[in-house]
Amino acid sequence: MTRQQLCALIDTLTPALEVQREHVLRMRRGHERLLTPSTGVKSKLAPADRILVTVLHLRKLAAMDPLGQIFGVTAMTISRANQEVRSLLEAHGHHINTSTTRFRTPPDISTFLASKPP
């Protein structure tokens, strides 16, 4: 997946991800928002990061623990992002192919990136 394809995917899924999140919050509250959308607890991962984490996980480049370490969140946060975004990928007809490379720890990723010529 090229950078342009990833940006296009993020541009496509971000509005749907926000609508989905608002729907889940509305169902949890049992009513519409009483305050403006900018108030309250902020999401630990931005929508673009949630999509990126899901793509990386679906490509099987890294498990949830190393992804969590890289993004500064827990594996549970990565898992939740994966669940949210995966349903949107399927709904929009996007299929993410797996990679042959697999990283087990963040240093594995650093070593891989260091070995690539600029």
Side-chain angles (χ1 to χ4, degrees):
M1 176 179 283
T2 66
R3 185 178 297 247
Q4 290 79 14
Q5 290 171 326
L6 179 61
C7 288
L9 181 65
I10 289 171
D11 291 343
T12 301
L13 294 183
T14 297
L17 191 59
E18 292 299 322
V19 168
Q20 179 185 30
R21 183 172 191 268
E22 191 60 37
H23 176 73
V24 168
L25 292 173
R26 185 180 331 110
M27 296 303 291
R28 191 179 303 158
R29 284 188 304 264
H31 55 80
E32 292 295 325
R33 275 186 182 273
L34 299 177
L35 302 172
T36 60
S38 61
T39 59
V41 177
K42 302 292 183 223
S43 184
K44 292 182 181 174
L45 287 173
D49 290 339
R50 291 190 301 211
I51 295 166
L52 176 60
V53 161
T54 303
V55 169
L56 293 173
H57 186 259
L58 290 176
R59 286 192 48 91
K60 299 192 185 296
L61 288 172
M64 290 183 193
D65 286 329
L67 287 173
Q69 291 173 17
I70 291 168
F71 283 86
V73 296
T74 64
M76 182 60 77
T77 302
I78 301 295
S79 177
R80 276 191 225 110
N82 198 357
Q83 290 172 351
E84 293 172 1
V85 175
R86 188 180 292 201
S87 63
L88 290 177
L89 285 169
E90 291 171 3
H92 284 84
H94 294 285
H95 177 73
I96 306 298
N97 296 322
T98 59
S99 174
T100 57
T101 306
R102 178 87 172 172
F103 302 111
R104 304 269 181 233
T105 63
D108 292 344
I109 297 169
S110 299
T111 304
F112 174 78
L113 293 175
S115 69
K116 291 290 185 185

